[in-house]
Amino acid sequence: MSTTKPVTPPATSPPVATADAPAADRRPIGDPVFRGLAVGSGITILVILALVAAFLLAQGAPALFASSEELESRGYGAFFSWVAPYAFGTIWAAVLALLMAVPVSLGIALFISHYASRRIAQPLGYVIDLLAAVPSVVFGLWGARTLAGAVQDLYVWLGANLGWIPLFSGQISGTGRTILTAAIVLAVMVLPIITGLCREIFLQTPTLHEEAALALGATRWEMIKMAVLPFARPGIVAAVMLGLGRALGETMAVAMVLSGGRTITFELLTSDNPNTIAATIAQNFGEAYDLKRAQLIAAGLVLFLITLIVNMIGRWIVARRAAYSGAN
């Protein structure tokens, strides 16, 4: 009876990394490169923001730290009392624009993403995207030359029939170039931004969520209300805040449409309108010098801070809803 010994496999040495055969656990070079680029880009943005703020603060310091007597003696007025009406006009015009643009933008985005056929949705989406590429000076010309005259009869009717409402009270402007006209122009300008972002967010809603709602017997609107809008809420907030940033900083369109001044009023149809910070800087910077120029630059710092605060509030709202939606 013969016995066989088990064969022991020969010992093998661990693989050696060579130029032709790299080690299996060697990390790809793309990961650290991409991480470095991402971190560097974020730091660059922060550095640029800090440099912009430092420039505005340095150039506007003479007006910020000048005494009230010195400013009053030159006819400029104390800085914060001087800039307050323009800050009010900036926020008031942007809020009016959003009140008009957001419902229309959401309706168009829902129509393109969930109601229109592909043959209609694609061309309409292209038109909306192209509208965002129109220069602001073109919107300003349209608002000053066409829109102001077209809405004059409407303003007269609003004043005659709804004049008991404070928003529509006062002497109606004879030119139509009011804060409401400027807000309409701003609404048209921010509409493609909000619409384009909301459309893409609506299209990212999980199909399983939509089909589950429809399978339970929901109508199309009920499905949108239960599945699409809750999923897209953080993205909608982000889109609205982006449109608000555009409205706050718009310059040429407002400067060409609105004949504003240093006033704080909620009346929409009168010729006594509050101006915006951006339009005020554009209209006066070319003729300003010394302390007046520093005052305008300091006003730009105020606008910078307003925009920064608005975006921080928007990010905070989005972060609060991030746990309940995959849109962020």
Side-chain angles (χ1 to χ4, degrees):
M1 183 176 182
S2 62
T3 59
T4 59
K5 296 181 179 181
V7 179
T8 303
T12 58
S13 58
V16 179
T18 63
D20 297 331
D25 58 346
R26 178 176 294 177
R27 298 178 60 186
I29 194 174
D31 289 344
V33 171
F34 179 77
R35 183 182 300 107
L37 290 175
V39 173
S41 299
I43 295 175
T44 302
I45 292 296
L46 295 178
V47 171
I48 291 175
L49 287 176
L51 290 176
V52 171
F55 167 80
L56 293 175
L57 183 60
Q59 295 293 320
L64 288 172
F65 301 108
S67 63
S68 300
E69 293 77 9
E70 182 180 1
L71 291 172
E72 292 288 353
S73 64
R74 300 195 181 191
Y76 298 152
F79 174 75
F80 289 103
S81 61
W82 173 82
V83 79
Y86 299 130
F88 167 80
T90 301
I91 298 173
W92 181 228
V95 169
L96 290 173
L98 286 187
L99 289 176
M100 291 182 282
V102 171
V104 178
S105 299
L106 293 178
I108 296 174
L110 285 173
F111 175 76
I112 294 175
S113 60
H114 286 82
Y115 284 94
S117 62
R118 181 177 297 272
R119 184 174 57 182
I120 298 176
Q122 286 186 346
L124 184 57
Y126 294 149
V127 172
I128 295 297
D129 293 338
L130 288 176
L131 190 61
V134 177
S136 59
V137 67
V138 176
F139 284 109
L141 288 172
W142 168 71
R145 298 289 183 177
T146 304
L147 181 63
V151 298
Q152 181 61 30
D153 293 337
L154 174 62
Y155 290 173
V156 173
W157 183 89
L158 289 174
N161 295 274
L162 300 178
W164 52 273
I165 300 177
L167 291 177
F168 305 121
S169 61
Q171 182 66 35
I172 306 300
S173 172
T175 61
R177 299 173 65 173
T178 68
I179 189 70
L180 183 57
T181 305
I184 295 174
V185 174
L186 289 177
V188 175
M189 295 180 68
V190 303
L191 186 144
I193 299 174
I194 302 176
T195 301
L197 291 175
C198 291
R199 177 192 64 200
E200 297 303 323
I201 294 167
F202 293 156
L203 291 174
Q204 293 177 12
T205 305
T207 306
L208 184 62
H209 294 182
E210 299 180 356
E211 293 178 349
L214 294 174
L216 291 174
T219 63
R220 181 171 296 186
W221 165 241
E222 291 173 337
M223 177 271 293
I224 291 174
K225 186 169 62 175
M226 291 187 300
V228 177
L229 294 181
F231 175 85
R233 188 173 292 117
I236 294 174
V237 173
V240 171
M241 289 301 157
L242 187 61
L244 178 58
R246 171 71 188 275
L248 288 173
E250 180 52 43
T251 304
M252 289 309 302
V254 178
M256 297 173 68
V257 172
L258 185 62
S259 298
R262 291 184 60 245
T263 180
I264 297 179
T265 177
F266 289 96
E267 295 176 351
L268 302 178
L269 309 179
T270 65
S271 57
D272 188 19
N273 300 286
N275 208 351
T276 66
I277 293 178
T280 301
I281 294 173
Q283 292 167 346
N284 296 277
F285 195 81
E287 301 175 357
Y289 59 92
D290 296 338
L291 193 58
K292 182 62 175 180
R293 176 168 295 186
Q295 193 178 45
L296 293 175
I297 295 176
L301 177 63
V302 173
L303 179 60
F304 178 82
L305 294 176
I306 292 174
T307 307
L308 186 62
I309 292 172
V310 166
N311 282 280
M312 291 175 63
I313 294 174
R315 292 306 306 170
W316 176 71
I317 296 174
V318 171
R320 286 189 60 193
R321 299 295 306 179
Y324 306 100
S325 173
N328 186 32

